[in-house]
Short mmCIF file of all heavy atoms in Angstrom, two decimals:
data_model
loop_
_atom_site.label_atom_id
_atom_site.label_comp_id
_atom_site.label_asym_id
_atom_site.label_seq_id
_atom_site.Cartn_x
_atom_site.Cartn_y
_atom_site.Cartn_z
N HIS A 147 -57.51 129.71 226.96
CA HIS A 147 -57.46 130.87 227.87
C HIS A 147 -58.41 130.71 229.04
O HIS A 147 -59.25 129.85 229.08
CB HIS A 147 -57.78 132.05 227.03
CG HIS A 147 -56.95 132.21 225.81
ND1 HIS A 147 -55.75 132.84 225.79
CD2 HIS A 147 -57.18 131.79 224.51
CE1 HIS A 147 -55.23 132.81 224.57
NE2 HIS A 147 -56.02 132.17 223.80
N GLY A 148 -58.17 131.65 229.97
CA GLY A 148 -58.89 131.62 231.23
C GLY A 148 -60.42 131.97 231.11
O GLY A 148 -61.28 131.23 231.60
N MET A 149 -60.66 133.12 230.44
CA MET A 149 -62.11 133.46 230.29
C MET A 149 -62.83 132.43 229.43
O MET A 149 -64.01 132.14 229.63
CB MET A 149 -62.23 134.82 229.72
CG MET A 149 -63.63 135.39 229.67
SD MET A 149 -64.40 135.48 231.29
CE MET A 149 -63.58 136.93 231.95
N TYR A 150 -62.13 131.82 228.52
CA TYR A 150 -62.68 130.80 227.65
C TYR A 150 -63.06 129.61 228.52
O TYR A 150 -64.12 129.01 228.34
CB TYR A 150 -61.63 130.35 226.58
CG TYR A 150 -62.25 129.65 225.39
CD1 TYR A 150 -62.49 130.32 224.23
CD2 TYR A 150 -62.53 128.28 225.44
CE1 TYR A 150 -63.01 129.69 223.10
CE2 TYR A 150 -63.07 127.64 224.33
CZ TYR A 150 -63.32 128.32 223.17
OH TYR A 150 -63.83 127.76 222.03
N GLN A 151 -62.24 129.26 229.50
CA GLN A 151 -62.56 128.22 230.40
C GLN A 151 -63.84 128.53 231.21
O GLN A 151 -64.73 127.71 231.37
CB GLN A 151 -61.39 127.92 231.38
CG GLN A 151 -60.24 127.13 230.77
CD GLN A 151 -59.19 126.78 231.80
OE1 GLN A 151 -58.94 127.57 232.74
NE2 GLN A 151 -58.50 125.71 231.59
N LEU A 152 -63.89 129.81 231.71
CA LEU A 152 -65.02 130.20 232.54
C LEU A 152 -66.35 130.19 231.69
O LEU A 152 -67.36 129.69 232.14
CB LEU A 152 -64.80 131.62 233.07
CG LEU A 152 -63.83 131.73 234.19
CD1 LEU A 152 -63.69 133.21 234.64
CD2 LEU A 152 -64.19 130.90 235.42
N CYS A 153 -66.28 130.59 230.47
CA CYS A 153 -67.47 130.58 229.60
C CYS A 153 -67.87 129.21 229.27
O CYS A 153 -69.10 128.89 229.23
CB CYS A 153 -67.18 131.39 228.31
SG CYS A 153 -67.02 133.17 228.53
N THR A 154 -66.92 128.31 229.08
CA THR A 154 -67.24 126.89 228.87
C THR A 154 -67.90 126.28 230.09
O THR A 154 -68.90 125.54 229.98
CB THR A 154 -65.96 126.10 228.49
OG1 THR A 154 -65.36 126.68 227.32
CG2 THR A 154 -66.30 124.64 228.20
N LEU A 155 -67.38 126.61 231.26
CA LEU A 155 -67.93 126.08 232.49
C LEU A 155 -69.38 126.54 232.68
O LEU A 155 -70.26 125.73 233.03
CB LEU A 155 -67.10 126.56 233.69
CG LEU A 155 -65.75 125.92 233.90
CD1 LEU A 155 -64.96 126.68 234.95
CD2 LEU A 155 -65.90 124.47 234.32
N LYS A 156 -69.63 127.81 232.37
CA LYS A 156 -70.95 128.35 232.60
C LYS A 156 -71.96 127.97 231.53
O LYS A 156 -73.02 127.48 231.80
CB LYS A 156 -70.90 129.88 232.76
CG LYS A 156 -72.24 130.53 233.05
CD LYS A 156 -72.09 132.03 233.32
CE LYS A 156 -73.46 132.62 233.64
NZ LYS A 156 -73.38 134.06 233.90
N PHE A 157 -71.61 128.26 230.27
CA PHE A 157 -72.57 128.12 229.19
C PHE A 157 -72.73 126.71 228.68
O PHE A 157 -73.88 126.32 228.32
CB PHE A 157 -72.17 129.00 228.02
CG PHE A 157 -72.02 130.47 228.41
CD1 PHE A 157 -70.95 131.23 227.92
CD2 PHE A 157 -72.93 131.11 229.23
CE1 PHE A 157 -70.85 132.55 228.26
CE2 PHE A 157 -72.81 132.41 229.58
CZ PHE A 157 -71.77 133.16 229.10
N LEU A 158 -71.74 125.86 228.69
CA LEU A 158 -71.82 124.53 228.21
C LEU A 158 -72.12 123.53 229.31
O LEU A 158 -72.83 122.57 229.16
CB LEU A 158 -70.62 124.11 227.44
CG LEU A 158 -70.65 124.23 225.94
CD1 LEU A 158 -70.74 125.70 225.49
CD2 LEU A 158 -69.49 123.52 225.25
N LEU A 159 -71.46 123.76 230.47
CA LEU A 159 -71.47 122.72 231.51
C LEU A 159 -72.36 123.09 232.69
O LEU A 159 -72.52 122.26 233.58
CB LEU A 159 -70.00 122.49 231.99
CG LEU A 159 -69.05 122.06 230.84
CD1 LEU A 159 -67.58 122.20 231.28
CD2 LEU A 159 -69.37 120.64 230.42
N GLY A 160 -72.89 124.31 232.69
CA GLY A 160 -73.85 124.70 233.74
C GLY A 160 -73.27 124.72 235.11
O GLY A 160 -73.96 124.57 236.13
N VAL A 161 -71.97 125.05 235.22
CA VAL A 161 -71.31 125.10 236.58
C VAL A 161 -71.66 126.43 237.24
O VAL A 161 -71.64 127.53 236.59
CB VAL A 161 -69.77 125.00 236.41
CG1 VAL A 161 -69.07 125.24 237.72
CG2 VAL A 161 -69.43 123.62 235.85
N ASP A 162 -71.96 126.38 238.51
CA ASP A 162 -72.23 127.58 239.32
C ASP A 162 -70.93 128.25 239.60
O ASP A 162 -70.18 127.80 240.50
CB ASP A 162 -72.95 127.19 240.63
CG ASP A 162 -73.38 128.40 241.45
OD1 ASP A 162 -72.78 129.45 241.31
OD2 ASP A 162 -74.31 128.25 242.26
N LEU A 163 -70.61 129.32 238.89
CA LEU A 163 -69.30 129.95 239.02
C LEU A 163 -69.09 130.60 240.38
O LEU A 163 -67.97 130.64 240.91
CB LEU A 163 -69.09 130.97 237.91
CG LEU A 163 -69.00 130.40 236.48
CD1 LEU A 163 -68.66 131.51 235.51
CD2 LEU A 163 -68.03 129.26 236.37
N GLU A 164 -70.15 131.14 240.97
CA GLU A 164 -70.02 131.76 242.27
C GLU A 164 -69.64 130.72 243.34
O GLU A 164 -68.80 130.97 244.17
CB GLU A 164 -71.29 132.50 242.65
CG GLU A 164 -71.21 133.28 243.97
CD GLU A 164 -70.12 134.31 243.94
OE1 GLU A 164 -69.83 134.87 242.86
OE2 GLU A 164 -69.53 134.57 245.02
N ALA A 165 -70.33 129.58 243.25
CA ALA A 165 -70.05 128.51 244.21
C ALA A 165 -68.63 127.99 244.00
O ALA A 165 -67.86 127.71 244.94
CB ALA A 165 -71.02 127.36 244.06
N LEU A 166 -68.20 127.89 242.77
CA LEU A 166 -66.82 127.44 242.44
C LEU A 166 -65.79 128.45 242.93
O LEU A 166 -64.80 128.05 243.51
CB LEU A 166 -66.67 127.22 240.92
CG LEU A 166 -65.27 126.84 240.45
CD1 LEU A 166 -64.84 125.50 241.06
CD2 LEU A 166 -65.22 126.76 238.92
N ARG A 167 -66.09 129.76 242.80
CA ARG A 167 -65.20 130.80 243.28
C ARG A 167 -65.01 130.66 244.76
O ARG A 167 -63.87 130.76 245.30
CB ARG A 167 -65.74 132.16 242.86
CG ARG A 167 -64.76 133.32 243.32
CD ARG A 167 -65.36 134.70 242.87
NE ARG A 167 -65.24 134.91 241.48
CZ ARG A 167 -66.22 134.88 240.61
NH1 ARG A 167 -67.51 134.68 241.05
NH2 ARG A 167 -66.07 135.09 239.34
N LYS A 168 -66.10 130.52 245.52
CA LYS A 168 -66.00 130.40 246.96
C LYS A 168 -65.23 129.21 247.38
O LYS A 168 -64.40 129.25 248.34
CB LYS A 168 -67.41 130.34 247.59
CG LYS A 168 -68.16 131.66 247.48
CD LYS A 168 -69.61 131.52 248.06
CE LYS A 168 -70.37 132.88 247.98
NZ LYS A 168 -71.75 132.74 248.46
N GLU A 169 -65.45 128.06 246.66
CA GLU A 169 -64.71 126.85 247.01
C GLU A 169 -63.24 127.02 246.79
O GLU A 169 -62.42 126.61 247.60
CB GLU A 169 -65.29 125.70 246.14
CG GLU A 169 -64.53 124.40 246.33
CD GLU A 169 -65.05 123.28 245.39
OE1 GLU A 169 -66.19 123.39 244.90
OE2 GLU A 169 -64.25 122.32 245.15
#
Side-chain angles (χ1 to χ4, degrees):
H147 306 273
M149 188 60 75
Y150 200 99
Q151 284 185 328
L152 287 179
C153 290
T154 301
L155 286 169
K156 181 175 182 178
F157 302 137
L158 261 69
L159 301 167
V161 173
D162 184 337
L163 295 186
E164 185 58 33
L166 177 60
R167 181 179 288 108
K168 289 179 180 178
E169 178 184 337

